[in-house]
Structure formats: structure tokens, C-alpha cells
Amino acid sequence: MAADCHTPASGASQREEARRFLDDYDPLGDDSALEKQNSAAPNARSDSRTTPIPKAQLATLCAVRLVDPIAFTQIFPYVNEMMERLHLTEDHSKIGFYSGLVESSFAIAQVVSIYQWARVSDTIGRRPVVLLGIFGIGLATLFMGVSTTLSGVILARCLGGLFSGNIAVIHSVLGEITDSTNQSIAFPLYGLCWPLGAIIGNVYRSPLMGGLLSNPATKFPQWFDTELFRRYPYLLPCLAAAAIAFAGCTYGYFYLGETHPNLQPRKKENIPMSERRDGSFEKPSEPASVQQLLKIPVVRALCLSGAGLSFIATGFDVTFVLFCYTSLPQGGLAFNATQIGYALSISGLISILLQLLVMPIVLRRVDHARMYNFCMGLWPFCFVLLPGLNIIARWGALDEAVGVLAPTTRALVWLGIGVILSISRTAALAFSVSMILVKDSAPNPASLGVTNGIAQFAMCLSRSFSPAFASSVLAFSIGHDFVLLRYLWVLVMTTICFLGTTLSRRIAEGMRQSAIPPR
């Protein structure tokens, strides 16, 4: 992470600055830093009334947010098949290692750029950073479609990750256009973007569209049997994903406004002034440094717990795909890419239902820190229950070598998949809750971008090596007959999940130390 450019000259002055910063951080009520600035306005609304949501801004934000999950997940259903096409190894069980390497490269590149994007947005504004990132993702996705080597695929994923590092800036925009009276509506709607984008990304290989966009030269020779699509079998889905990115960039150019509180176009005489406790006035505050933010207990807790959440959630997604792809004798389900895409689309649909029907109610009635802890406590069950699917499948397999199941067994397997994915998507609601907790923990409006930046940095850092770690542990486990080694991946990932629940409890403790009232 880049060092802050406003470091004090001496240790004493640095400690004094940090002390004054933490003193100023003490909340003046139940509102977050952003809401305190809004409440200082003469015409501020009463807390008993719901602030109208800026619908155009929110719709635009959701449109550009769709691009990241499409770019990140569209490779998941066919990444194992792609690695086989590259002829990287003759050992089928080692495919997972290369798949994890490709999947991790996106997040590694995102880690490198995420904090820098947040700092740049504090200087030039949120709008240009968001638009540049979306346009870059489109270009990287196009490059992905014409890559025929492992190095080319990894480079394309890295470029996509670099440009998608603006995710913290997008979260900041959401925090700047909402407050505590309307966030129970806005955040679930925004939360729909990831599962919806994942469905769109995975639909390229799922029965929902009959696998229309992958391998078009083979499936639709009358239209796509050309040298271009025979050589690049995944170009068409990448073209579709890039078109969505460019469309989102165009839409954002016309409808996304600048939201940074210090960069709003105002007349000189209307520059907002914030009142201090002693009755004096000062100009809007400057963004806090990383060192200052990490001195706040709740910010530290959110970074640590967010890293754990991202590692576990990404690890489950990768493990689930590889588990489904693994043959029955080796402990998996022997699914093809189409069946995997179908399962991932079901996962996205479950997420949409939870965001629409459950999240608005829960956010209004349940303390956010407690809800976050509950979601984190569900992750161990996701990994523990997965091997049961293999047991059911092998029990009713008509041909275990190729994975042909009896109709009743197939129904039971898909029912079990639905249950496990429902648990995992409920646990993943912690991401939406985390965005609200980060927003509430920002010490002042100008620091929201940096606060989101370091929180997302921690998440993306763990997500960068989670796929490689999870897929490597699973690939190692399935090569053994000894039961403890065969299910080593379950033991390792479950243990990490329990450690994650321990980290999540620090958020409530940090809120008490920072004097942030529970919500």
C-alpha cells in the first residue's frame, strides 16, 4: 500500500495529530459522518422522515456495478475446460491448480490498484475514476477472448483486475448518495448487482441460454463456423461481456454525477462550513491518512474481518466449481461446464431473492454487527455439507466412471446443492452489511473513499490468493485414498471459517471502543 504523502515531520507531532484526529472522531449522535454533514444544512430533513433516494444516481451506479461481477465470474464455468484446451498438464487432477492461478490473478491485480484508485478519486473526483475503470474492464475482457496461452490469459485477467480496482470508489458513491433513513432500501438494490452480474456471466455456459455463446463454431456452424471462432472458442462470450462494459460506461457518462462532498460545483459564497464543538467554523475536512484510520478500532476490525470474509467466500466459490467438476471416484460430482453454469445461476437467483425479500427487513430491524456475525457463522456448514453430495451421488450412480445418476439420486443431489447454495448466499449477505458498517465507521465525509479503499484492499488481498489456496488444497486431497487426507480440504477450510467468525466479533467490540451506537 502506498504511503500517505502528508506524514508529519516528527514522531511527537504525528502522535499529537493522531490524538486530535481520534478526539474529533467521537460521534455526536446516531448518524454517520456523512449524515452529520447533511444534518448541518439549514434545510436538513428530520430524522423521522425517510430521505428520498436519488433514483437516477442509484440506477446508474447499479448499471456500472454490474460490469465487475460479469468480468470476474464469466470465466468460472469454463475455466477448467479452458485449461485443458491449453494442454498444460496430462494429469487431470492438476487442472485445478492452473484454474486457481488464473482466477487469483484478477484479484492480485485488483489489490495493487484499489487503494490508488481511492486516493485518486479524492483528488479528481469519483466520476472519472468510475468511468475509466469500466472502460478498461471492457478492453481487458476483449483481450481475454483472443488469448490462446496461459500467459495471455493471466495478463488479460490482470488488466481486468487493475481496472476493477475502482470498486472502493463505487462503494463510496453509494455511501455519499444515501443515509441511515434510506440505506435499507438502497443497499439491497445495489447488492443485487453482484448476483445478477454473476448470473449474466455464468449464463454463457448454462442451460438458461442453451450455451449459446461458448464454442459457437461447433454449436451454430451456420453462423459462426469461421476461422475466427474456431481459433477463439470463448471470444463470443467475451465480446458480449465487453459490450455490457462499454454500455455501462456510456450510460454512466451521461447520468452519473460527481458525489465527492468537497468537489461539488458550488458558488464561492456557498462553500459548506462545519461547526466545531467550541462554536468556531472550518472548511470541509481533508481525507484521513491510512495510519490515522487504522488507529480507529472499528476500522481495524472491519479490515481484518473483511479479509476473512472475502477469503472464505471466494474459496467456497472456487471449491464448489472444482468439486462439481471432479469425478465421482475422486470425491466430486462429475458435472460438465453446462451443469456447473446452471448451479451458479441458481446461486445467483437465490442471492437476488434474499436481497429483495430479506435484506430490507433485516437491515431495519436487526443490529448490523449482530447480523454480520450471524452470516459469518454460516460458512462452516457450507464446506462440511459438500462431501455429502458425493456420498449421495455414488450411492445412486448408474455409471460411476462417467457420473451417470439415477433420476431419484439426481434429484436428491440437486436438492442438496440448493440447500448448500442457500446457506452460502445467506452467509454472503455479510458483504452488504459490511458496506454499511464501513460507511458508518468513516470519521468524516472526506475520508469515506480512503476508508472504503483500505477495507476493500484487505478484502481483495485475501481474495487474490484464496482461489489458488483453496483449489490447491482440494487438488492435493482428491489424490489420496486415506480418509483424513481425502477430506483434508474440508478440515482446512472449516477451520478457517471458524477463525473468520472469531474476527467478526471484533467489529462489535471496535464499535463500542469507538463509541458508535449499534444499529
Side-chain angles (χ1 to χ4, degrees):
M1 186 181 300
D4 187 76
C5 60
H6 300 291
T7 304
S10 66
S13 61
Q14 183 176 9
R15 288 192 296 270
E16 178 64 19
E17 179 184 351
R19 184 190 64 78
R20 290 196 305 269
F21 179 83
L22 292 174
D23 288 343
D24 290 342
Y25 175 73
D26 186 26
L28 300 180
D30 288 349
D31 290 335
S32 68
L34 285 173
E35 292 154 27
K36 281 184 280 185
Q37 173 171 289
N38 294 336
S39 64
N43 298 324
R45 293 179 177 270
S46 171
D47 290 343
S48 62
R49 299 182 59 185
T50 301
T51 305
I53 299 176
K55 298 181 179 62
Q57 287 279 72
L58 181 60
T60 306
L61 202 61
C62 291
V64 298
R65 181 67 178 100
L66 277 174
V67 176
D68 184 47
I70 292 174
F72 182 66
T73 65
Q74 65 104 4
I75 193 177
F76 279 9
Y78 59 76
V79 61
N80 295 306
E81 179 183 298
M82 176 183 286
M83 294 301 102
E84 283 194 35
R85 283 180 178 270
L86 297 179
H87 305 291
L88 300 171
T89 178
E90 297 297 328
D91 189 350
H92 189 76
S93 65
K94 303 303 180 183
I95 291 294
F97 169 76
Y98 293 101
S99 301
L101 186 64
V102 170
E103 292 161 353
S104 294
S105 60
F106 186 98
I108 291 174
Q110 194 175 43
V111 167
V112 174
S113 64
I114 194 166
Y115 177 72
Q116 280 68 28
W117 282 122
R119 295 294 293 182
V120 169
S121 74
D122 285 333
T123 303
I124 67 174
R126 316 291 193 213
R127 184 174 181 272
V129 170
V130 171
L131 297 182
L132 178 60
I134 299 303
F135 184 80
I137 290 175
L139 293 180
T141 306
L142 284 178
F143 182 43
M144 176 78 185
V146 296
S147 299
T148 57
T149 63
L150 179 62
S151 58
V153 173
I154 292 178
L155 178 59
R157 293 290 284 176
C158 287
L159 288 175
L162 286 173
F163 284 107
S164 69
N166 66 351
I167 179 61
V169 181
I170 299 177
H171 288 353
S172 298
V173 174
L174 179 65
E176 287 163 348
I177 65 174
T178 59
D179 57 33
S180 60
T181 66
N182 56 24
Q183 65 187 16
S184 63
I185 300 174
F187 276 78
L189 290 175
Y190 178 81
L192 289 175
C193 297
W194 182 273
L196 183 58
I199 289 177
I200 296 173
N202 294 320
V203 83
Y204 302 143
R205 293 292 301 170
S206 76
L208 295 180
M209 292 183 64
L212 291 176
L213 300 181
S214 62
N215 298 299
T218 303
K219 297 175 181 177
F220 299 99
Q222 66 273 30
W223 295 321
F224 300 105
D225 189 14
T226 64
E227 177 62 25
L228 178 66
F229 290 107
R230 284 195 299 268
R231 184 176 182 182
Y232 308 116
Y234 306 110
L235 175 59
L236 190 58
C238 288
L239 280 172
I244 294 175
F246 294 140
C249 183
T250 303
Y251 186 71
Y253 178 82
F254 289 104
Y255 297 104
L256 182 63
E258 181 56 59
T259 61
H260 193 290
N262 292 352
L263 297 177
Q264 296 292 327
R266 291 185 177 92
K267 294 181 180 180
K268 184 175 181 180
E269 61 270 16
N270 291 334
I271 295 178
M273 308 288 280
S274 55
E275 185 175 4
R276 297 180 59 88
R277 292 187 180 92
D278 59 5
S280 62
F281 290 85
E282 60 179 7
K283 291 185 178 181
S285 55
E286 295 296 323
S289 67
V290 175
Q291 293 87 346
Q292 291 171 332
L293 288 174
L294 292 180
K295 291 180 181 294
I296 302 174
V298 67
V299 175
R300 289 199 308 268
L302 284 168
C303 291
L304 289 174
S305 182
L309 169 62
S310 186
F311 184 94
I312 294 168
T314 306
F316 175 80
D317 291 341
V318 173
T319 299
F320 178 77
V321 171
L322 190 55
F323 172 81
C324 291
Y325 188 76
T326 303
S327 64
L328 284 177
Q330 291 183 313
L333 296 178
F335 277 8
N336 56 37
T338 298
Q339 291 171 308
I340 294 173
Y342 191 26
L344 294 178
S345 296
I346 291 175
S347 175
L349 290 173
I350 293 172
S351 293
I352 289 176
L353 293 176
L354 289 173
Q355 291 283 353
L356 283 177
L357 304 178
V358 177
M359 278 293 285
I361 298 174
V362 172
L363 287 178
R364 286 194 297 265
R365 300 183 180 181
V366 180
D367 174 64
H368 297 160
R370 290 183 180 179
M371 181 182 176
Y372 185 90
N373 291 337
F374 172 79
C375 292
M376 290 295 294
L378 295 176
W379 283 115
F381 298 98
C382 300
F383 291 95
V384 170
L385 294 176
L386 270 182
L389 298 178
N390 175 258
I391 295 174
I392 296 174
R394 299 183 69 176
W395 170 72
L398 299 177
D399 189 341
E400 189 171 310
V402 297
V404 178
L405 307 180
T408 303
T409 303
R410 188 184 306 112
L412 288 176
V413 168
W414 280 103
L415 177 62
I417 289 175
V419 171
I420 294 174
L421 291 179
S422 296
I423 297 174
S424 70
R425 294 313 92 192
T426 302
L429 293 178
F431 283 104
S432 295
V433 183
S434 176
M435 286 192 295
I436 297 178
L437 293 173
V438 170
K439 172 193 170 184
D440 292 342
S441 68
N444 56 59
S447 299
L448 181 59
V450 182
T451 306
N452 269 307
I454 61 173
Q456 289 298 313
F457 175 88
M459 287 186 172
C460 291
L461 180 62
S462 64
R463 191 174 80 170
S464 64
F465 58 85
S466 177
F469 177 86
S471 59
S472 297
V473 171
L474 181 57
F476 171 81
S477 300
I478 61 179
H480 295 81
D481 294 327
F482 184 55
V483 63
L484 289 181
L485 291 178
R486 188 181 185 87
Y487 294 108
L488 177 64
W489 63 274
V490 180
L491 178 61
V492 171
M493 296 307 297
T494 303
T495 301
I496 294 175
C497 290
F498 280 116
L499 292 176
T501 59
T502 301
L503 291 174
S504 68
R505 297 191 187 99
R506 297 185 179 183
I507 294 178
E509 298 174 2
M511 293 178 68
R512 286 193 294 270
Q513 295 178 26
S514 301
I516 299 179
R519 296 188 184 181

